[in-house]
């Protein structure tokens, strides 16, 4: 999520030069600028899904790796956290950090300081120019590539890694335009290498608890869910040092949509068996006007960020093939408490997050008694349906609270254990691409006055096969 910057400014200038909506839409979709009609764009999107995706990476397994040798690209804010999540696994000989890479030596040094202090050894460091990371990937002694760089570098690094025979685990999003989504799918299917987007919220205690209740029938049939990334990032976006070269705010200056879909959408998709019996059908997206981020920039005297295109709040609605609805929100401009919503509505129960609340629909006709469970009854459900993974790893989770309350450790633990045992990963390449694709689709919808946009089938039709999410598998 933090460091490498190559040609971000040029990328923004190029986008700004697009003179028509049709050209913008074509760029999102990887199509010729000659396509000027929304219906043509949607038809082309559908045909691309039929011709490109084969579904051959679903349930992908690879030979067991007793000790997973890891290379990390991106040693900034996120890389500094992720390396700590490997400590327990390294001590237990399940994994080993072989090499690290970043533009800045001081950041690779910081990771190596941690490795020296914790494991009495260091990793080979690659730094100093934008292509140095390729030397890390080219090594023959690395099994797994961890990518924690700015968004625009995720796809090229992931593709290069798979082409060089590496499994890939990448920070969110795995891609942020549809052309890159297709490139990721094609490469993963051809190379038969794992390509997982590291959506840590899928591994959080609350989300796993809700998932377990859904699986055991507590919610009945699901009809609707709501997720969000509501997080006041103005201080970080405007800080000259927090995001290297302030790469993240540049997306807000020239685009409008939901740029960070997966924290809310990942868990919801697992609740709804998306890709395993159902999938997204179409998207409608709308943004509010922008005010909060540009005002903050003006108050701070940062005139270069006074004009912001991305609205303060984006609301995106998704309809699934089986008729379920999803509301997704994105707001990193406004001064409000952090919230992922985590709302799930079923025929028998409802959950809302932040704070977590549970309603059990015991009598459909007793409308006067509708209220959230009292604390004692809520705790009974929490204890009864707590995901066994959190009970199994409670000591390690407690020790790794720096990783977003433990969910980062659970994510890395599951990733490494799946590779150790030669099992399919909890989040596969189709999940990764589908969840990420909502960003360019939302941008396209916003730009077309909130038009309905069809979602491509990235799975080659395998989403129709009913399967249970791998997150419920005991490892």
């Amino acid at each position: 999520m933090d460091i490498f910057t190559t040609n971000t400014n040029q990328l923004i200038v190029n986008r700004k030069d697009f003179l028509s909506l049709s050209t913008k839409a074509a760029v999102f979709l990887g199509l010729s600028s000659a396509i000027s009609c929304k219906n043509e764009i949607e038809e082309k999107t559908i045909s691309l899904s039929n011709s490109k995706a084969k579904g051959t990476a679903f349930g992908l397994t690879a030979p067991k790796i007793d000790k997973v040798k890891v290379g990390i690209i991106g040693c900034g804010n996120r890389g500094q956290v992720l390396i700590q999540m490997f400590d327990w696994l390294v001590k237990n000989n399940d994994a080993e950090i072989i090499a690290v890479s970043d533009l800045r030596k001081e950041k690779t040094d910081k990771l190596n300081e941690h490795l020296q202090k914790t494991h009495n050894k260091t990793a080979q460091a690659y730094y100093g120019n934008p292509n140095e990371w390729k030397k890390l990937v080219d090594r023959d002694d690395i099994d797994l590539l961890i990518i924690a760089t700015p968004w625009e570098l995720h796809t090229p690094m992931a593709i290069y890694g798979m082409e060089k025979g590496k499994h890939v685990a990448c920070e969110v999003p795995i891609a942020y335009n549809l052309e890159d989504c297709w490139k990721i799918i094609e490469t993963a299917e051809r190379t038969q290498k794992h390509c997982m987007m590291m959506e840590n919220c899928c591994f959080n205690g609350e989300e796993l608890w809700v998932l377990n209740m859904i699986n055991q029938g507590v919610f009945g049939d699901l009809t609707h869910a709501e997720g969000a990334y509501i997080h006041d990032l103005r201080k970080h976006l405007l800080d000259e040092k927090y995001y290297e070269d302030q790469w993240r705010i540049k997306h807000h200056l020239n685009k409008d949509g939901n740029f960070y879909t997966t924290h809310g959408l990942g868990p919801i998709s697992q609740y709804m068996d998306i890709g395993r019996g159902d999938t997204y059908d179409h998207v409608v997206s709308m943004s509010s006007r922008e005010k909060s981020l540009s005002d903050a920039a003006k108050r701070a005297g940062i005139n270069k960020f006074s004009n912001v295109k991305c609205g303060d709040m984006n609301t995106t609605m998704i309809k699934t093939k089986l008729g379920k609805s999803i509301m997704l929100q994105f707001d990193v401009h406004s001064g409000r408490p952090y919230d992922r919503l985590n709302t799930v509505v079923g025929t028998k129960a409802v959950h809302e997050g932040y704070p977590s609340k549970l309603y059990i629909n015991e009598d459909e006709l007793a409308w006067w008694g509708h209220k959230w469970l009292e604390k004692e009854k809520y705790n009974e459900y929490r204890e009864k349906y707590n995901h066994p993974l959190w009970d199994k790893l409670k000591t390690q989770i407690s020790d790794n609270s720096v990783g977003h309350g433990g969910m980062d450790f659970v994510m890395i633990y599951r990733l490494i254990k799946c590779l150790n045992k030669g099992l399919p990963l909890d989040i596969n390449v189709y999940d990764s691409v589908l969840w990420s694709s909502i960003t360019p689709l939302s941008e396209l919808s916003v730009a077309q006055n909130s038009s309905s946009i069809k979602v491509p089938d990235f799975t080659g039709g395998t989403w129709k096969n009913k399967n249970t999410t791998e997150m419920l598998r005991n490892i």
Side-chain angles (χ1 to χ4, degrees):
M1 287 176 60
D2 185 32
I3 186 64
F4 284 86
T5 53
T6 53
N7 211 18
T8 305
N9 289 328
Q10 185 62 43
L11 177 147
I12 290 173
V13 171
N14 288 341
R15 288 185 182 276
K16 197 171 183 180
D17 286 342
F18 297 142
L19 300 179
S20 69
L21 176 59
S22 61
T23 306
K24 290 180 182 177
V27 170
F28 291 142
L29 297 168
L31 308 176
S32 165
S33 60
I35 296 177
S36 59
C37 171
K38 189 191 81 168
N39 291 335
E40 289 183 61
I41 292 171
E42 291 184 355
E43 289 173 7
K44 184 64 174 175
T45 301
I46 294 170
S47 68
L48 280 172
S49 68
N50 291 335
S51 63
K52 284 194 172 185
K54 301 175 183 177
T56 55
F58 188 86
L60 179 65
T61 60
K64 297 178 182 179
I65 307 173
D66 292 334
K67 181 187 285 188
V68 180
K69 295 179 174 61
V70 180
I72 300 177
I73 306 177
C75 304
N77 302 323
R78 191 63 176 138
Q80 301 292 339
V81 171
L82 287 175
I83 199 166
Q84 298 177 59
M85 302 302 103
F86 284 93
D87 287 348
W88 185 84
L89 293 156
V90 170
K91 290 176 182 177
N92 283 273
N93 290 315
D94 295 316
E96 180 181 2
I97 309 298
I98 298 294
V100 296
S101 180
D102 198 280
L103 278 177
R104 297 185 180 275
K105 182 178 183 296
E106 59 265 32
K107 294 189 177 183
T108 59
D109 284 348
K110 190 171 181 180
L111 260 64
N112 268 327
E113 288 173 9
H114 174 80
L115 292 174
Q116 181 65 48
K117 178 180 179 181
T118 308
H119 307 294
N120 198 31
K121 64 182 301 185
T122 58
Q124 177 68 47
Y126 297 88
Y127 53 84
N129 72 70
N131 290 316
E132 199 70 12
W133 62 273
K134 291 185 177 181
K135 295 179 181 178
L136 180 153
V137 182
D138 290 342
R139 293 176 63 124
D140 294 330
D141 58 349
I142 290 177
D143 305 305
L144 173 66
L145 189 65
I146 299 288
I147 300 172
T149 61
W151 301 339
E152 59 269 18
L153 296 174
H154 289 179
T155 295
M157 288 179 171
I159 288 174
Y160 191 83
M162 287 186 281
E163 295 283 12
K164 292 295 182 176
K166 310 299 189 286
H167 299 301
V168 172
C170 180
E171 270 300 323
V172 304
I174 194 75
Y176 75 108
N177 64 58
L178 292 186
E179 182 180 13
D180 283 350
C181 288
W182 289 117
K183 289 178 181 178
I184 290 281
I185 292 292
E186 187 277 327
T187 307
E189 291 186 341
R190 175 169 45 80
T191 63
Q192 290 292 285
K193 290 297 177 182
H194 289 300
C195 186
M196 169 184 168
M197 181 173 63
M198 294 188 293
E199 179 38 72
N200 54 356
C201 295
C202 292
F203 301 85
N204 191 44
E206 179 181 301
E207 281 82 351
L208 286 173
W209 168 61
V210 172
L211 179 64
N212 198 28
M213 284 194 291
I214 291 170
N215 184 61
Q216 297 195 41
V218 174
F219 280 76
D221 292 324
L222 300 188
T223 58
H224 175 74
E226 299 174 6
Y229 185 64
I230 295 173
H231 190 186
D232 184 2
L233 292 182
R234 289 174 296 178
K235 181 179 185 297
H236 294 329
L237 290 170
L238 296 170
D239 191 320
E240 292 185 354
K241 296 181 179 179
Y242 191 83
Y243 295 113
E244 186 73 19
D245 194 33
Q246 293 180 283
W247 65 265
R248 189 160 177 171
I249 195 173
K250 293 174 182 178
H251 291 275
H252 293 250
L253 302 180
N254 292 278
K255 300 190 297 179
D256 191 7
N258 186 328
F259 302 161
Y260 215 68
T261 61
T262 66
H263 279 357
L265 192 56
I268 287 172
S269 297
Q270 293 184 330
Y271 300 157
M272 292 184 168
D273 291 329
I274 298 299
R276 294 155 183 80
D278 197 2
T279 194
Y280 314 146
D281 183 72
H282 60 276
V283 169
V284 175
S285 188
M286 178 184 295
S287 291
S288 75
R289 69 170 183 161
E290 191 283 324
K291 186 66 175 170
S292 299
L293 182 57
S294 58
D295 277 0
K298 290 175 184 175
R299 286 194 297 271
I302 309 174
N303 295 326
K304 63 180 178 178
F305 296 141
S306 59
N307 294 316
V308 178
K309 184 174 182 180
C310 181
D312 284 355
M313 167 65 84
N314 174 273
T315 300
T316 298
M317 296 296 298
I318 305 170
K319 191 72 171 287
T320 78
K321 293 288 189 183
L322 298 186
K324 306 182 192 80
S325 59
I326 301 169
M327 184 193 77
L328 200 62
Q329 292 192 315
F330 170 69
D331 178 5
V332 296
H333 294 183
S334 304
R336 52 192 295 192
Y338 182 90
D339 200 342
R340 295 202 301 272
L341 297 183
N342 197 26
T343 297
V344 190
V345 180
T347 56
K348 294 182 179 179
V350 176
H351 177 269
E352 285 187 6
Y354 298 85
S356 176
K357 304 183 290 291
L358 182 64
Y359 168 73
I360 303 298
N361 186 13
E362 295 177 330
D363 185 349
E364 292 88 341
L365 301 181
W367 57 268
W368 57 87
H370 293 178
K371 61 181 180 179
W372 302 109
L373 293 184
E374 299 291 343
K375 183 176 181 180
E376 182 177 353
K377 191 68 175 177
Y378 170 93
N379 288 338
E380 288 180 13
Y381 275 86
R382 194 66 190 252
E383 182 176 350
K384 181 178 180 180
Y385 293 102
N386 193 33
H387 196 288
L389 184 61
W390 274 68
D391 289 331
K392 177 181 180 179
L393 298 175
K394 59 185 176 183
T395 299
Q396 291 84 358
I397 290 170
S398 177
D399 291 343
N400 285 280
S401 58
V402 65
H404 293 97
M407 62 183 175
D408 287 346
F409 171 76
V410 175
M411 175 181 69
I412 296 299
Y413 170 88
R414 294 279 291 196
L415 169 61
I416 296 301
K417 285 298 184 181
C418 285
L419 294 175
N420 290 155
K421 297 185 178 185
L423 297 172
L425 303 187
D426 292 323
I427 299 172
N428 63 39
V429 68
Y430 305 108
D431 302 323
S432 304
V433 163
L434 183 60
W435 305 350
S436 299
S437 73
I438 300 303
T439 288
L441 294 171
S442 73
E443 294 174 39
L444 184 55
S445 179
V446 168
Q448 295 195 30
N449 292 320
S450 303
S451 295
S452 174
I453 306 296
K454 278 287 186 182
V455 180
D457 177 11
F458 295 104
T459 73
T462 58
W463 68 266
K464 299 175 185 177
N465 301 327
K466 179 66 176 175
N467 290 285
T468 301
T469 174
E470 291 81 357
M471 289 295 298
L472 294 168
R473 176 183 56 200
N474 186 27
I475 298 179

